[in-house]
């Protein structure tokens, strides 16, 4: 279950207004933001014992273009 702000309404990653949605990222839920129909950033959380211990942010356009994302719900 995701908690917190609706990613579709959030100003994602300090880049101004965008569209976001939850995706499967490294086997878990992670927010993905889009700008002009293109993926602009992906967050992946490392969870240990029900706690987030690391957050990885991918924003490299070349690497983002290679991702295959499977939306949640």
């Amino acid at each position: 279950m995701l908690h917190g702000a609706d990613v579709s309404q959030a100003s994602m990653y300090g880049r101004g207004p965008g569209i976001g949605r939850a995706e499967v990222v490294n086997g878990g839920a992670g927010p993905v933001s889009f700008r002009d129909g293109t993926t602009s950033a992906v967050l992946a959380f490392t969870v240990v014992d029900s706690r987030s211990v690391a957050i990885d942010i991918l924003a490299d356009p070349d690497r983002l273009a290679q991702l295959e994302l499977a939306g949640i719900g």
Side-chain angles (χ1 to χ4, degrees):
M1 174 181 285
L2 299 175
H3 297 280
D6 178 351
V7 293
S8 66
Q9 302 298 314
S11 176
M12 302 292 284
Y13 323 123
R15 293 180 175 204
I19 298 172
R21 69 175 183 234
E23 294 278 349
V24 176
V25 179
N26 292 338
V32 177
S33 68
F34 300 88
R35 175 162 300 235
D36 300 324
T38 302
T39 306
S40 60
V42 173
L43 272 70
F45 296 87
T46 300
V47 178
V48 176
D49 295 328
S50 299
R51 294 180 183 231
S52 294
V53 296
I55 303 171
D56 294 305
I57 302 172
L58 176 61
D60 178 336
D62 294 331
R63 290 182 61 199
L64 288 170
Q66 298 174 18
L67 293 180
E68 294 182 25
L69 300 171
I72 295 176

